[in-house]
Amino acid sequence: MKEINYLEAIKEALYEEMVRDQSVLILGEDVGVYGGAFRVTEGFYEKFGEWRVLDTPLSESGFTGAAIGASLVGMRPVVEMQFADFISCAFDQLVNVAAKNHYRWGAATPIVVRAPYGGNIHGGAFHSQCIEGFFFNVPGLKIVAPSTAYDAKGLLKASIRDNDPVIYCEHKYLYRRIKDPVPEEDYVVPIGKARVAMEGRDVSVITYGAMVHTAIEAAQMLKDKKISCEIIDLRTILPLDKKSIFTTVQKTNKVVVVHEQTKTGGVGAEISALINEYCFEYLDGPVIRVAAPDTPVPFSAPMEEAFIPKASDIVSAVEKLVRY
């Protein structure tokens, strides 16, 4: 196996799927000649041509709608949002058209929307948001959020081959900061399947995306204090892998849910509700959420550092829970 970074994994997945399947095409602002805001599609325009790598006007609603239309006549479009924050302009297309086509008339809508999300890059309030919560309660959509290069490639391939609209949340902070061994041969990571990122016995930490690495850092700090954490990497946010969540709850009886998204109405609230509804008798303490405060992402670097959950925040939550 070769070792590649998170961004290279996304690029490889796109490239290999476009070679494998002639119906796969890419749309977005500057994805063609320029190669994308983060250079993910660099060289694709020269390789696949202007009809499969389409530079679009600055209209997220327009090119997302065009992708939905193309999917209805047999294509598998991949839409690139330059920054996930801009996806709000395509909200109507995704929520009222793509997500409902199956329920309205049984139509498959195989589109993928790549959403570079998350902070810790000093991008401020308009280039750092976590957008998964905007779509988390929309039936008909799927949402994935890989934390490793292996999953970034495998989940993108699975998303492109899926017949439902998938929002692919790729964390910008991970692009060039993490590397993983990735198989040379074709593979997919199934949508809807979580993984155990670290085995443990005392407390479960359930998380996804860049926070998986923060949770691992916290678990190493807690290991020195003789506290063993089990870390569940959700990989897919919608639909949640309830079986994996309930299994870890029944094993450790104590749960901390961690996400970078703001706290109120977030993914952690739903996970907490599910655990209380289906695993209450297994709990030895409350489910604790560690999340960003309910404010926009600050532009100031020190304030952004305070905004994003840190390993020390997770350590404090776990120690509080262990005392129950």
Side-chain angles (χ1 to χ4, degrees), residues 110-295:
I111 68 166
V112 177
V113 179
R114 288 184 42 234
Y117 79 117
N120 222 1
I121 59 162
H122 311 318
F126 302 102
H127 296 81
S128 304
Q129 293 179 86
C130 293
I131 52 85
E132 62 272 27
F134 302 164
F135 302 98
F136 186 54
N137 70 342
V138 179
L141 295 179
K142 294 177 179 175
I143 306 173
V144 300
S147 70
T148 67
Y150 179 90
D151 285 354
K153 184 171 181 178
L155 273 172
L156 184 51
K157 281 174 167 273
S159 300
I160 292 171
R161 298 177 193 184
D162 201 281
N163 282 334
D164 293 319
V166 180
I167 297 176
Y168 180 88
C169 294
E170 53 191 68
H171 203 293
K172 300 188 294 292
Y173 183 73
L174 300 180
Y175 273 159
R176 295 176 177 86
R177 286 182 171 85
I178 61 167
K179 284 187 172 183
D180 287 310
V182 173
E184 301 279 353
E185 63 271 17
D186 183 46
Y187 73 97
V188 298
V189 172
I191 293 175
K193 298 292 184 185
R195 72 182 179 103
V196 179
M198 179 181 284
E199 294 271 3
R201 64 177 183 281
D202 297 326
V203 177
S204 298
V205 179
I206 301 174
T207 186
Y208 56 90
M211 285 293 111
V212 171
H213 302 279
T214 307
I216 291 172
E217 182 185 348
Q220 296 296 343
M221 296 162 67
L222 288 160
K223 194 175 180 180
D224 297 336
K225 301 180 179 184
K226 310 300 182 189
I227 298 173
S228 170
C229 290
E230 177 151 293
I231 299 173
I232 303 298
D233 178 0
L234 291 172
R235 288 171 154 170
T236 298
I237 302 170
L238 188 65
L240 287 168
D241 183 354
K242 296 177 186 175
K243 183 178 178 182
S244 293
I245 293 171
F246 297 161
T247 298
T248 194
V249 173
Q250 292 165 13
K251 179 180 179 182
T252 67
N253 315 117
K254 295 183 173 72
V255 181
V256 174
V257 186
V258 181
H259 54 67
E260 187 182 322
Q261 179 197 7
T262 50
K263 192 170 191 177
T264 300
V267 175
E270 177 62 18
I271 293 173
S272 178
L274 284 169
I275 293 171
N276 279 291
E277 190 171 355
Y278 295 103
C279 295
F280 183 76
E281 65 272 27
Y282 291 96
L283 290 175
D284 286 342
V287 177
I288 296 178
R289 290 175 291 161
V290 175
D294 293 331
T295 73

Side-chain angles (χ1 to χ4, degrees), residues 63-84:
F63 61 73
T64 302
I68 294 169
S71 75
L72 296 177
V73 293
M75 306 303 287
R76 290 188 176 273
V78 178
V79 170
E80 178 182 303
M81 297 288 163
Q82 284 196 336
F83 290 84

Side-chain angles (χ1 to χ4, degrees), residues 10-19 44 47-48:
I10 294 168
K11 187 183 185 85
E12 280 197 3
L14 281 173
Y15 187 93
E16 291 175 15
E17 288 303 291
M18 291 188 74
V19 170
F44 281 42
K47 168 67 178 178
F48 298 105

